Amino acid sequence: SGLATVQYYMDNGLFEGDVFTAGDTAGMVEYWGTLEALQEEYYTKIITGGDAEALWKEFVGKWYAAGGDIVTEEVNDWYAEQ
């Protein structure tokens, strides 16, 4: 089950929480609403029985194209400076 997977990750030191502690980046301000809407849409499709692997790949591509690439770059730049 999903909870068993989470427990496995936690028990084996594979889970890392959000380490980003800065405020919103410019990309977050601009794109986050769209990115959250995409996440909700695709998570719902997966949870309600869609082809999880295909939907996940589609979601990731759309997420990056909708500004996720910019947000990822900003956060990675922040992290590299820490």
Side-chain angles (χ1 to χ4, degrees):
S1 78
L3 292 177
T5 302
V6 171
Q7 191 64 52
Y8 173 84
Y9 273 69
M10 293 178 77
D11 290 346
N12 292 284
L14 301 172
F15 179 79
E16 184 172 325
D18 189 355
V19 297
F20 181 71
T21 57
D24 290 348
T25 67
M28 288 175 180
V29 171
E30 184 169 349
Y31 302 111
W32 206 252
T34 300
L35 297 173
E36 283 186 317
L38 271 172
Q39 180 178 324
E40 183 177 329
E41 175 188 347
Y42 278 85
Y43 283 19
T44 300
K45 287 179 180 181
I46 292 168
I47 290 167
T48 58
D51 179 351
E53 185 176 350
L55 286 166
W56 180 256
K57 288 178 182 179
E58 186 177 318
F59 163 68
V60 170
K62 287 187 176 189
W63 191 88
Y64 278 112
D69 58 343
I70 293 168
V71 172
T72 299
E73 182 178 354
E74 291 171 336
V75 172
N76 284 338
D77 289 348
W78 171 86
Y79 187 77
E81 295 174 6
Q82 302 310 301

